[in-house]
Amino acid sequence: MPDNQILTADLPAHVPGELVCEDYPFIMGANTAENPFRTMVPALHDGPDLIYSTNFYPGFQPAWIPRRLETVQALYMDTEHFSSAAFSPYPQLIGEDWSLVPVEIDPPAHATYRALLNPLFTPARLRGLEDRVREAARDTIAKFKDDGECEFMHAFALRFPIIVFLDLMGLPRDRMEQFLEWEFMLLHSLDIEDLAKGARLSVDYLREVIEERRKNPVDDLVSLAVTATADGRKLNDNELIGLCFNLFIGGLDTVSTNIAWQIRHLAEHPEDQRRLRADPSLIPAAIEEMYRRYAAVTTFRTCIKQTVLHGVTIMPGDKIAMPTTLANTDPAAWERPFEVDFNRAPRHITFAYGVHRCVGAPLARRESVIAIEELLAAIPEFSTAEGEALITELGPILQPKNLPLVWGGQRSRRAAAAVEPQPANLPQSGGQRLEGTIAEVTGFLAARLGSMEPFGKVIAMHLDGHELLLDGTANPPKLVTATDQKPDVTVRAALKDFVAILNKEMNPQLAMVKGKLKVRGDITSVMALTKLL
Ligand code: HEM
């Protein structure tokens, strides 16, 4: 915890200085090579029950953060003092006026929408989807199961939930790449233009689908939504967009992240993996405990009526961030909170609590079960690739950026080093747009290196047929034609894609996920690379 005596100049009068936290670690845009669940989460419990982060709320605004399970549950229930309205920026970004339905709707109106959604996730409906979900998992795994290794985020975790979502919504599976791209713009970019573009493109597409299903309803979720009645009337356009958009942003990243943490746990705990292989009937119970231990989501509220929390006044307008991560590991609520115990049967709040409790939880659970069953059946004992750092993106969702797995005795040569060069780290091509010649890129990199401190690594960059060697051991770092030193990291990309990244026209992380930017090597050198860019 930080030195809590520091007071920011514009701290509201009702915020006690000793609760101020200026370095809450889960700040959007930050990455870590630590396992945050192992190091940061226990450390965060070593402090006051309520802290005031100066920058955790979206848009880097201040927010109160409770860490006790009891408090978080009470906040979820207290819809008199806390509202979930308008926490997402998307409608405003594209100049529209709708809310995420139902997550941004407060009671009593919320109940109407929720009643409409509940039947869409009944066990009977999910059973109808089950075969296709399993087939999607099998097909996705079949693409890498004989390789002895995979970059699990890229190969499975990010893709599988999108296929399931497309099936659920009745959308064609060939839209997968498109949705992946929109998801990254919406949820992994700090660039306001990316956010707006992702929102614009996905909303326009959803609007087209809604229009089409109005004319030709079929047996899918969008058709059910357009034909259903709530309080005796059909939903209007804004309500329908809000509903489809809520399902889109609610059901993709969350599922990818949870499956990835569950697989990472099994990769790092071979004894647990063997237990599930020996008795797959334990998988659902194991998943519940892993949902508790690796809860990755923080949800948000705004205070609408003055109240008191842990003896502290909370004023209307104050933002609240509720990390399920901390509530689920609260030492006051759980015995051995940091231990994964498959026999625990935890009543966790990974899917929230109260009226907004996740409507998609039954589907998410089936996705996890099927993913783990199919993976254990298809590949032998797996572990994380030796010597490769595992990077996590911090923020309102703690998402693994890379998960290199190996099995069958094969040593991985991949260093799928998915560090995201965040927009803040992106190249500033001096305000001018690069046209795309190798000479321009070379000039840009030479100038950038010349203004940097040594970073002690050699980076080899292959752009189409050109090889550039960046010597970060020199002072100042420079481009060289040859070096005795083996490169610490090798970057490969098509010149046009690299130029698009430099021009901020391509999201670097998405480029990695799509295999357009291939980074191999020691992860600390990749960090140097992001500084360079
Ligand atoms: C492991 C995966 C998932 C996690 C951890 C998760 C987590 C959550 C959480 C914490 C909330 C409460 C938000 C709040 O109160 O502000 C929520 C609500 C919601 N989730 Fe999920 N979710 C997951 C999967 C899904 C899926 C697969 C879908 C649908 C396809 C979905 C759709 C929704 C919707 C529509 C809401 C709003 C419910 C309401 O306001 O009544 N989620 N989810």
Side-chain angles (χ1 to χ4, degrees):
M1 296 294 288
D3 174 354
N4 285 336
Q5 300 313 310
I6 304 168
L7 266 179
T8 18
D10 51 357
L11 198 61
H14 66 286
V15 176
E18 68 275 15
L19 299 186
V20 175
C21 173
E22 293 195 320
D23 57 359
Y24 186 70
F26 301 155
I27 289 301
M28 223 179 148
N31 291 316
T32 180
E34 292 172 31
N35 178 339
F37 288 97
R38 210 172 287 150
T39 55
M40 298 174 181
V41 171
L44 277 167
H45 279 296
D46 193 16
D49 289 343
L50 184 67
I51 55 174
Y52 187 81
S53 158
T54 49
N55 56 2
F56 180 52
Y57 194 82
F60 303 105
Q61 299 173 65
W64 293 103
I65 305 179
R67 63 185 174 87
R68 294 264 175 243
L69 174 67
E70 206 182 18
T71 321
V72 175
Q73 284 175 324
L75 279 160
Y76 274 126
M77 297 304 288
D78 186 356
T79 54
E80 182 192 343
H81 295 96
F82 299 99
S83 163
S84 63
F87 66 75
S88 95
Y90 305 113
Q92 289 86 338
L93 276 176
I94 54 173
E96 296 194 1
D97 184 21
W98 42 266
S99 301
L100 292 178
V101 176
V103 78
E104 289 185 317
I105 311 288
D106 290 327
H110 171 268
T112 305
Y113 298 109
R114 185 65 189 230
L116 196 145
L117 263 180
N118 283 336
L120 308 182
F121 292 91
T122 56
R125 263 199 87 77
L126 293 184
R127 267 196 302 279
L129 268 183
E130 176 98 6
D131 288 350
R132 281 180 69 82
V133 175
R134 196 172 286 281
E135 173 212 307
R138 256 181 218 163
D139 290 351
T140 313
I141 294 167
K143 295 199 176 92
F144 60 79
K145 77 184 174 73
D146 298 327
D147 296 347
E149 62 175 357
C150 74
E151 204 310 283
F152 188 74
M153 291 308 294
H154 176 208
F156 189 89
L158 291 166
R159 283 160 193 276
F160 172 62
I162 298 185
I163 302 176
V164 174
F165 172 80
L166 292 172
D167 284 359
L168 179 76
M169 300 292 278
L171 306 177
R173 281 187 180 182
D174 61 14
R175 282 277 171 174
M176 224 267 295
E177 296 294 330
Q178 189 76 82
F179 269 81
L180 189 59
E181 197 158 324
W182 293 339
E183 184 185 336
F184 270 91
M185 287 187 210
L186 289 166
L187 301 172
H188 296 281
S189 178
L190 295 179
D191 186 332
I192 210 95
E193 280 174 24
D194 266 359
L195 294 175
K197 192 171 163 200
R200 177 82 277 154
L201 293 170
S202 48
V203 164
D204 283 353
Y205 176 66
L206 291 172
R207 223 172 236 131
E208 263 174 44
V209 177
I210 288 167
E211 229 14 81
E212 159 61 25
R213 295 299 191 273
R214 269 206 181 108
K215 289 185 208 137
N216 305 306
V218 288
D219 181 23
D220 63 25
L221 205 147
V222 183
S223 304
L224 282 169
V226 295
T227 50
T229 48
D231 284 346
R233 64 169 179 87
K234 288 196 172 165
L235 297 187
N236 64 34
D237 286 0
N238 276 349
E239 290 167 321
L240 285 168
I241 280 293
L243 186 110
C244 293
F245 198 76
N246 193 162
L247 293 170
F248 171 33
I249 63 165
L252 299 186
D253 235 26
T254 47
V255 180
S256 304
T257 298
N258 278 277
I259 291 179
W261 282 113
Q262 290 157 7
I263 294 298
R264 176 165 169 183
H265 175 89
L266 297 179
E268 292 178 338
H269 297 83
E271 66 293 354
D272 281 349
Q273 192 183 141
R274 280 175 214 140
R275 246 182 108 191
L276 299 190
R277 284 181 184 281
D279 184 358
S281 72
L282 297 177
I283 290 174
I287 283 173
E288 280 318 301
E289 170 65 347
M290 292 191 280
Y291 272 137
R292 178 195 70 82
R293 179 62 180 100
Y294 301 109
V297 175
T298 295
T299 51
F300 299 99
R301 296 291 185 268
T302 302
C303 175
I304 45 173
K305 196 175 185 187
Q306 184 173 333
T307 185
V308 173
L309 210 57
H310 289 290
V312 179
T313 302
I314 312 292
M315 297 294 283
D318 282 5
K319 305 292 184 191
I320 321 290
M322 302 180 292
T324 58
T325 318
L326 297 186
N328 273 350
T329 48
D330 171 8
W334 309 93
E335 274 179 33
R336 301 166 284 110
F338 309 117
E339 206 175 288
V340 171
D341 173 359
F342 289 170
N343 297 323
R344 192 190 294 263
R347 300 191 62 186
H348 58 73
I349 60 157
T350 300
F351 294 105
Y353 193 74
V355 293
H356 289 290
R357 213 163 58 84
C358 179
V359 72
L363 175 61
R365 289 186 158 105
R366 284 312 295 158
E367 289 184 67
S368 266
V369 170
I370 289 171
I372 292 181
E373 281 176 357
E374 292 299 326
L375 202 69
L376 294 183
I379 63 177
E381 190 169 306
F382 54 85
S383 59
T384 52
E386 222 173 275
E388 291 186 26
L390 304 185
I391 302 298
T392 303
E393 179 179 307
L394 301 171
I397 180 152
L398 304 175
Q399 184 175 78
K401 310 276 354 135
N402 65 329
L403 185 48
L405 298 180
V406 287
W407 57 89
Q410 167 127 337
R411 285 185 65 80
S412 173
R413 265 171 276 120
R414 304 176 59 121
V419 172
E420 178 176 9
Q422 295 295 337
N425 302 327
L426 279 174
Q428 303 300 314
S429 43
Q432 95 214 35
R433 200 178 164 282
L434 301 177
E435 289 305 322
T437 64
I438 189 69
E440 267 185 313
V441 172
T442 309
F444 168 76
L445 291 175
R448 176 52 65 97
L449 286 169
S451 65
M452 286 175 74
E453 295 292 316
F455 49 85
K457 306 282 179 187
V458 174
I459 300 173
M461 206 169 264
H462 297 265
L463 302 171
D464 294 344
H466 310 279
E467 187 185 39
L468 304 178
L469 279 172
L470 286 61
D471 184 359
T473 61
N475 190 5
K478 58 183 178 189
L479 278 178
V480 291
T481 47
T483 167
D484 295 339
Q485 216 175 314
K486 194 170 159 289
D488 300 279
V489 65
T490 304
V491 181
R492 284 175 201 280
L495 179 61
K496 70 171 176 33
D497 292 334
F498 192 64
V499 168
I501 291 170
L502 294 183
N503 283 333
K504 287 180 138 197
E505 291 160 2
M506 185 181 283
N507 176 311
Q509 188 195 12
L510 189 61
M512 286 191 214
V513 167
K514 289 186 152 189
K516 291 189 168 185
L517 183 68
K518 296 190 177 110
V519 184
R520 305 269 185 273
D522 157 32
I523 199 84
T524 54
S525 322
V526 179
M527 303 274 192
L529 176 69
T530 64
K531 264 196 220 137
L532 168 83
L533 294 177

